[in-house]
């Protein structure tokens, strides 16, 4: 796992072989955006300690959606350190194991990528302490808000920190090379609409579930990519 500083004393990316998570700091209080796969808990804890921070100050884990490479370690971390797990209402039953993970509608070129993604261990059923809705305040980052961004999954969300100009987009947008619509969507049309809604927020920093964060010319790059993405 790689630990990458995005904003000094505020934001780090935790990069796994497939996917990534983000650690936000409000002083010593910590928020994790996504949680890697089920084998990631010890590495996340080690990363927190390597920054001179205490894992017992992890207050919340916000899940952008229900896929195994984002949810896997959330339950173990929450049980160990007392953090609350937050996810959108529509993905919460999947995260808890009450409903199956929704099957995406794959384009032909996505099939081998999807098969590779299935090599990630399945996520165990994980409790959700708070079910989120669009516009909900999250209690960190000097005002963080939920942006419902369905299409990748029904309950996919972005997380917007307007005071800091930061936007976490989950897997709605990918930065694996040129900015693009995320892959493995259950509803491409809605995913494109969500891409455009997120881009319209015009952040200065965009953090993706796959690909390096964008910190320079972010808003125009997102706007251009969204406009060029066909429905």
């Amino acid at each position: 796992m790689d630990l990458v500083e995005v904003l000094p004393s505020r934001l780090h990316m935790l990069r796994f072989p497939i996917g990534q998570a983000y650690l936000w700091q409000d002083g010593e209080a910590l928020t994790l955006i996504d949680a890697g796969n089920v084998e990631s808990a010890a590495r996340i804890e080690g990363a927190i300690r390597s920054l001179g921070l205490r894992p017992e100050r992890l207050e919340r884990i916000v899940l952008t959606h229900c896929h195994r490479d984002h949810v896997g370690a959330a339950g173990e971390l929450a049980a160990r350190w007392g953090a609350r797990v937050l996810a959108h209402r529509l993905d919460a039953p999947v995260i808890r194991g009450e409903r199956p993970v929704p099957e995406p509608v794959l384009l032909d070129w996505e099939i081998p990528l999807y098969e590779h993604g299935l090599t990630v261990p399945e996520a165990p059923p994980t409790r959700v302490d708070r079910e989120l809705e669009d516009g909900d305040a999250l209690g960190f980052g000097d005002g963080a808000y939920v942006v419902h961004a369905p299409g990748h999954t029904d309950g996919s969300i972005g997380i917007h920190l307007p005071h800091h100009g930061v936007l976490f987009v989950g897997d709605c947008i990918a930065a694996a090379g040129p900015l693009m619509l995320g892959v493995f969507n259950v509803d491409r049309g809605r995913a494109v609409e969500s891409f455009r809604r997120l881009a319209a927020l015009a952040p200065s920093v965009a953090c993706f579930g796959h690909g390096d964060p964008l910190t320079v010319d972010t808003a125009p790059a997102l706007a251009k990519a969204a406009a060029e993405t066909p429905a």
Side-chain angles (χ1 to χ4, degrees):
M1 185 197 76
D2 297 325
L3 181 64
V4 180
E5 183 179 79
V6 182
L7 296 175
S9 302
R10 278 292 191 176
L11 178 61
H12 286 79
M13 178 177 69
L14 291 71
R15 183 162 49 204
F16 307 104
I18 296 179
Q20 50 218 27
Y22 293 89
L23 184 70
W24 179 268
Q25 298 172 233
D26 289 307
E28 294 185 352
L30 306 176
T31 297
L32 192 65
I33 309 298
D34 290 327
N37 68 47
V38 69
E39 299 172 346
S40 300
R43 285 174 286 178
I44 293 171
E45 179 182 335
I48 291 171
R49 294 189 186 279
S50 76
L51 295 170
L53 303 168
R54 296 182 294 161
E56 57 265 33
R57 294 302 307 272
L58 182 61
E59 295 186 355
R60 64 188 66 78
I61 302 168
V62 187
L63 302 175
T64 61
H65 62 289
C66 61
H67 286 160
R68 62 179 71 184
D69 56 326
H70 294 257
V71 173
E76 182 176 348
L77 290 167
R80 186 177 297 176
W81 302 113
R84 301 181 73 217
V85 179
L86 289 65
H88 192 274
R89 169 181 57 83
L90 296 177
D91 272 17
V94 180
I95 293 167
R96 290 193 293 259
E98 298 165 0
R99 296 181 186 170
V101 177
E103 290 291 331
V105 180
L106 297 175
L107 303 174
D108 288 345
W109 65 268
E110 293 179 320
I111 292 172
L113 294 175
Y114 186 68
E115 291 173 347
H116 179 60
L118 293 179
T119 64
V120 174
E122 288 191 25
T126 297
R127 78 172 198 258
V128 175
D129 299 297
R130 179 183 171 192
E131 296 189 6
L132 302 173
E133 298 284 358
D134 186 55
D136 280 354
L138 295 171
F140 73 95
D142 301 298
Y145 298 92
V146 174
V147 183
H148 188 206
H152 184 64
T153 66
D154 290 339
S156 287
I157 60 171
I159 300 158
H160 189 209
L161 282 62
H163 181 80
H164 297 280
V166 173
L167 179 65
F168 301 92
V169 303
D171 281 1
C172 181
I173 309 168
L179 291 180
M180 59 179 286
L181 184 71
V183 295
F184 316 151
N185 298 301
V186 299
D187 186 325
R188 178 184 172 86
R190 296 185 77 197
V192 172
E193 292 174 2
S194 293
F195 189 165
R196 293 172 179 165
R197 183 183 186 200
L198 292 170
L201 296 172
S204 55
V205 176
C207 297
F208 308 94
H210 300 272
D212 290 338
L214 189 58
T215 60
V216 177
D217 296 328
T218 303
L222 286 171
K224 181 175 184 292
E228 294 175 349
T229 301

PDB file of all heavy atoms in Angstrom, residues 48-66:
ATOM      1  N   ILE A  48      -2.088   5.211   9.438  1.00  0.00           N
ATOM      2  CA  ILE A  48      -2.495   6.232  10.400  1.00  0.00           C
ATOM      3  C   ILE A  48      -1.380   6.461  11.417  1.00  0.00           C
ATOM      4  O   ILE A  48      -0.998   7.603  11.704  1.00  0.00           O
ATOM      5  CB  ILE A  48      -3.805   5.817  11.086  1.00  0.00           C
ATOM      6  CG1 ILE A  48      -4.968   5.877  10.078  1.00  0.00           C
ATOM      7  CG2 ILE A  48      -4.100   6.710  12.296  1.00  0.00           C
ATOM      8  CD1 ILE A  48      -6.264   5.289  10.592  1.00  0.00           C
ATOM      9  N   ARG A  49      -0.830   5.397  11.948  1.00  0.00           N
ATOM     10  CA  ARG A  49       0.236   5.519  12.953  1.00  0.00           C
ATOM     11  C   ARG A  49       1.491   6.153  12.349  1.00  0.00           C
ATOM     12  O   ARG A  49       2.198   6.924  13.018  1.00  0.00           O
ATOM     13  CB  ARG A  49       0.548   4.156  13.556  1.00  0.00           C
ATOM     14  CG  ARG A  49      -0.590   3.567  14.378  1.00  0.00           C
ATOM     15  CD  ARG A  49      -0.144   2.313  15.126  1.00  0.00           C
ATOM     16  NE  ARG A  49      -1.250   1.655  15.796  1.00  0.00           N
ATOM     17  CZ  ARG A  49      -1.744   2.024  16.978  1.00  0.00           C
ATOM     18  NH1 ARG A  49      -1.222   3.063  17.608  1.00  0.00           N
ATOM     19  NH2 ARG A  49      -2.748   1.355  17.527  1.00  0.00           N
ATOM     20  N   SER A  50       1.777   5.843  11.089  1.00  0.00           N
ATOM     21  CA  SER A  50       2.983   6.395  10.461  1.00  0.00           C
ATOM     22  C   SER A  50       2.911   7.912  10.313  1.00  0.00           C
ATOM     23  O   SER A  50       3.950   8.579  10.182  1.00  0.00           O
ATOM     24  CB  SER A  50       3.200   5.746   9.092  1.00  0.00           C
ATOM     25  OG  SER A  50       2.302   6.259   8.121  1.00  0.00           O
ATOM     26  N   LEU A  51       1.710   8.468  10.330  1.00  0.00           N
ATOM     27  CA  LEU A  51       1.527   9.915  10.262  1.00  0.00           C
ATOM     28  C   LEU A  51       1.569  10.562  11.641  1.00  0.00           C
ATOM     29  O   LEU A  51       1.368  11.776  11.764  1.00  0.00           O
ATOM     30  CB  LEU A  51       0.192  10.235   9.583  1.00  0.00           C
ATOM     31  CG  LEU A  51       0.078   9.832   8.106  1.00  0.00           C
ATOM     32  CD1 LEU A  51      -1.358   9.972   7.627  1.00  0.00           C
ATOM     33  CD2 LEU A  51       1.017  10.665   7.256  1.00  0.00           C
ATOM     34  N   GLY A  52       1.834   9.764  12.667  1.00  0.00           N
ATOM     35  CA  GLY A  52       1.849  10.272  14.035  1.00  0.00           C
ATOM     36  C   GLY A  52       0.462  10.480  14.601  1.00  0.00           C
ATOM     37  O   GLY A  52       0.286  11.211  15.586  1.00  0.00           O
ATOM     38  N   LEU A  53      -0.530   9.826  14.002  1.00  0.00           N
ATOM     39  CA  LEU A  53      -1.915   9.937  14.432  1.00  0.00           C
ATOM     40  C   LEU A  53      -2.348   8.665  15.146  1.00  0.00           C
ATOM     41  O   LEU A  53      -1.704   7.629  15.029  1.00  0.00           O
ATOM     42  CB  LEU A  53      -2.820  10.209  13.226  1.00  0.00           C
ATOM     43  CG  LEU A  53      -2.462  11.456  12.418  1.00  0.00           C
ATOM     44  CD1 LEU A  53      -3.225  11.478  11.104  1.00  0.00           C
ATOM     45  CD2 LEU A  53      -2.743  12.721  13.223  1.00  0.00           C
ATOM     46  N   ARG A  54      -3.473   8.743  15.852  1.00  0.00           N
ATOM     47  CA  ARG A  54      -3.953   7.608  16.643  1.00  0.00           C
ATOM     48  C   ARG A  54      -5.205   7.009  16.004  1.00  0.00           C
ATOM     49  O   ARG A  54      -6.189   7.729  15.793  1.00  0.00           O
ATOM     50  CB  ARG A  54      -4.247   8.047  18.068  1.00  0.00           C
ATOM     51  CG  ARG A  54      -3.019   8.535  18.842  1.00  0.00           C
ATOM     52  CD  ARG A  54      -3.379   8.906  20.263  1.00  0.00           C
ATOM     53  NE  ARG A  54      -4.266  10.064  20.289  1.00  0.00           N
ATOM     54  CZ  ARG A  54      -5.028  10.406  21.331  1.00  0.00           C
ATOM     55  NH1 ARG A  54      -5.040   9.650  22.416  1.00  0.00           N
ATOM     56  NH2 ARG A  54      -5.782  11.479  21.281  1.00  0.00           N
ATOM     57  N   PRO A  55      -5.200   5.729  15.722  1.00  0.00           N
ATOM     58  CA  PRO A  55      -6.380   5.124  15.087  1.00  0.00           C
ATOM     59  C   PRO A  55      -7.632   5.208  15.941  1.00  0.00           C
ATOM     60  O   PRO A  55      -8.745   5.183  15.394  1.00  0.00           O
ATOM     61  CB  PRO A  55      -5.956   3.682  14.829  1.00  0.00           C
ATOM     62  CG  PRO A  55      -4.766   3.450  15.683  1.00  0.00           C
ATOM     63  CD  PRO A  55      -4.096   4.758  15.865  1.00  0.00           C
ATOM     64  N   GLU A  56      -7.488   5.344  17.245  1.00  0.00           N
ATOM     65  CA  GLU A  56      -8.681   5.487  18.085  1.00  0.00           C
ATOM     66  C   GLU A  56      -9.372   6.835  17.870  1.00  0.00           C
ATOM     67  O   GLU A  56     -10.507   7.028  18.338  1.00  0.00           O
ATOM     68  CB  GLU A  56      -8.348   5.304  19.561  1.00  0.00           C
ATOM     69  CG  GLU A  56      -7.297   6.229  20.105  1.00  0.00           C
ATOM     70  CD  GLU A  56      -5.911   5.604  20.089  1.00  0.00           C
ATOM     71  OE1 GLU A  56      -5.614   4.807  19.173  1.00  0.00           O
ATOM     72  OE2 GLU A  56      -5.120   5.943  21.005  1.00  0.00           O
ATOM     73  N   ARG A  57      -8.752   7.732  17.140  1.00  0.00           N
ATOM     74  CA  ARG A  57      -9.392   9.003  16.787  1.00  0.00           C
ATOM     75  C   ARG A  57     -10.129   8.930  15.457  1.00  0.00           C
ATOM     76  O   ARG A  57     -10.610   9.939  14.954  1.00  0.00           O
ATOM     77  CB  ARG A  57      -8.354  10.134  16.743  1.00  0.00           C
ATOM     78  CG  ARG A  57      -7.726  10.476  18.088  1.00  0.00           C
ATOM     79  CD  ARG A  57      -8.768  10.872  19.147  1.00  0.00           C
ATOM     80  NE  ARG A  57      -9.653  11.940  18.704  1.00  0.00           N
ATOM     81  CZ  ARG A  57      -9.376  13.243  18.851  1.00  0.00           C
ATOM     82  NH1 ARG A  57      -8.250  13.620  19.427  1.00  0.00           N
ATOM     83  NH2 ARG A  57     -10.227  14.153  18.439  1.00  0.00           N
ATOM     84  N   LEU A  58     -10.217   7.727  14.896  1.00  0.00           N
ATOM     85  CA  LEU A  58     -11.009   7.533  13.683  1.00  0.00           C
ATOM     86  C   LEU A  58     -12.485   7.593  14.059  1.00  0.00           C
ATOM     87  O   LEU A  58     -13.014   6.698  14.706  1.00  0.00           O
ATOM     88  CB  LEU A  58     -10.666   6.190  13.037  1.00  0.00           C
ATOM     89  CG  LEU A  58     -11.380   5.853  11.730  1.00  0.00           C
ATOM     90  CD1 LEU A  58     -11.049   6.868  10.649  1.00  0.00           C
ATOM     91  CD2 LEU A  58     -11.015   4.442  11.275  1.00  0.00           C
ATOM     92  N   GLU A  59     -13.156   8.660  13.664  1.00  0.00           N
ATOM     93  CA  GLU A  59     -14.528   8.908  14.096  1.00  0.00           C
ATOM     94  C   GLU A  59     -15.570   8.315  13.153  1.00  0.00           C
ATOM     95  O   GLU A  59     -16.639   7.901  13.606  1.00  0.00           O
ATOM     96  CB  GLU A  59     -14.763  10.414  14.247  1.00  0.00           C
ATOM     97  CG  GLU A  59     -13.912  11.033  15.349  1.00  0.00           C
ATOM     98  CD  GLU A  59     -14.247  12.484  15.602  1.00  0.00           C
ATOM     99  OE1 GLU A  59     -15.084  13.060  14.849  1.00  0.00           O
ATOM    100  OE2 GLU A  59     -13.680  13.057  16.549  1.00  0.00           O
ATOM    101  N   ARG A  60     -15.258   8.286  11.865  1.00  0.00           N
ATOM    102  CA  ARG A  60     -16.263   7.827  10.903  1.00  0.00           C
ATOM    103  C   ARG A  60     -15.579   7.249   9.671  1.00  0.00           C
ATOM    104  O   ARG A  60     -14.466   7.641   9.322  1.00  0.00           O
ATOM    105  CB  ARG A  60     -17.210   8.971  10.498  1.00  0.00           C
ATOM    106  CG  ARG A  60     -16.538  10.088   9.772  1.00  0.00           C
ATOM    107  CD  ARG A  60     -17.436  11.285   9.554  1.00  0.00           C
ATOM    108  NE  ARG A  60     -17.813  11.942  10.806  1.00  0.00           N
ATOM    109  CZ  ARG A  60     -17.018  12.761  11.486  1.00  0.00           C
ATOM    110  NH1 ARG A  60     -15.793  13.010  11.056  1.00  0.00           N
ATOM    111  NH2 ARG A  60     -17.431  13.325  12.590  1.00  0.00           N
ATOM    112  N   ILE A  61     -16.275   6.315   9.042  1.00  0.00           N
ATOM    113  CA  ILE A  61     -15.865   5.744   7.761  1.00  0.00           C
ATOM    114  C   ILE A  61     -17.025   5.968   6.807  1.00  0.00           C
ATOM    115  O   ILE A  61     -18.115   5.418   7.002  1.00  0.00           O
ATOM    116  CB  ILE A  61     -15.549   4.244   7.889  1.00  0.00           C
ATOM    117  CG1 ILE A  61     -14.451   4.010   8.933  1.00  0.00           C
ATOM    118  CG2 ILE A  61     -15.137   3.665   6.536  1.00  0.00           C
ATOM    119  CD1 ILE A  61     -14.280   2.551   9.320  1.00  0.00           C
ATOM    120  N   VAL A  62     -16.813   6.798   5.793  1.00  0.00           N
ATOM    121  CA  VAL A  62     -17.862   7.120   4.838  1.00  0.00           C
ATOM    122  C   VAL A  62     -17.618   6.290   3.576  1.00  0.00           C
ATOM    123  O   VAL A  62     -16.551   6.392   2.962  1.00  0.00           O
ATOM    124  CB  VAL A  62     -17.882   8.618   4.494  1.00  0.00           C
ATOM    125  CG1 VAL A  62     -19.098   8.942   3.627  1.00  0.00           C
ATOM    126  CG2 VAL A  62     -17.896   9.465   5.763  1.00  0.00           C
ATOM    127  N   LEU A  63     -18.573   5.480   3.212  1.00  0.00           N
ATOM    128  CA  LEU A  63     -18.437   4.581   2.064  1.00  0.00           C
ATOM    129  C   LEU A  63     -19.118   5.196   0.851  1.00  0.00           C
ATOM    130  O   LEU A  63     -20.310   5.517   0.900  1.00  0.00           O
ATOM    131  CB  LEU A  63     -19.042   3.219   2.385  1.00  0.00           C
ATOM    132  CG  LEU A  63     -18.426   2.521   3.616  1.00  0.00           C
ATOM    133  CD1 LEU A  63     -19.182   1.236   3.926  1.00  0.00           C
ATOM    134  CD2 LEU A  63     -16.945   2.235   3.386  1.00  0.00           C
ATOM    135  N   THR A  64     -18.367   5.344  -0.239  1.00  0.00           N
ATOM    136  CA  THR A  64     -18.935   5.967  -1.426  1.00  0.00           C
ATOM    137  C   THR A  64     -19.888   5.043  -2.161  1.00  0.00           C
ATOM    138  O   THR A  64     -20.762   5.516  -2.892  1.00  0.00           O
ATOM    139  CB  THR A  64     -17.842   6.434  -2.403  1.00  0.00           C
ATOM    140  OG1 THR A  64     -17.076   5.300  -2.845  1.00  0.00           O
ATOM    141  CG2 THR A  64     -16.925   7.461  -1.751  1.00  0.00           C
ATOM    142  N   HIS A  65     -19.728   3.728  -1.978  1.00  0.00           N
ATOM    143  CA  HIS A  65     -20.654   2.768  -2.572  1.00  0.00           C
ATOM    144  C   HIS A  65     -20.343   1.374  -2.036  1.00  0.00           C
ATOM    145  O   HIS A  65     -19.455   1.205  -1.184  1.00  0.00           O
ATOM    146  CB  HIS A  65     -20.626   2.797  -4.102  1.00  0.00           C
ATOM    147  CG  HIS A  65     -19.309   2.447  -4.716  1.00  0.00           C
ATOM    148  ND1 HIS A  65     -18.209   3.268  -4.655  1.00  0.00           N
ATOM    149  CD2 HIS A  65     -18.905   1.358  -5.434  1.00  0.00           C
ATOM    150  CE1 HIS A  65     -17.187   2.721  -5.293  1.00  0.00           C
ATOM    151  NE2 HIS A  65     -17.593   1.542  -5.770  1.00  0.00           N
ATOM    152  N   CYS A  66     -21.050   0.375  -2.517  1.00  0.00           N
ATOM    153  CA  CYS A  66     -21.091  -0.928  -1.856  1.00  0.00           C
ATOM    154  C   CYS A  66     -20.096  -1.953  -2.388  1.00  0.00           C
ATOM    155  O   CYS A  66     -20.146  -3.118  -1.980  1.00  0.00           O
ATOM    156  CB  CYS A  66     -22.502  -1.516  -1.978  1.00  0.00           C
ATOM    157  SG  CYS A  66     -23.046  -1.788  -3.702  1.00  0.00           S
TER     158      CYS A  66
END
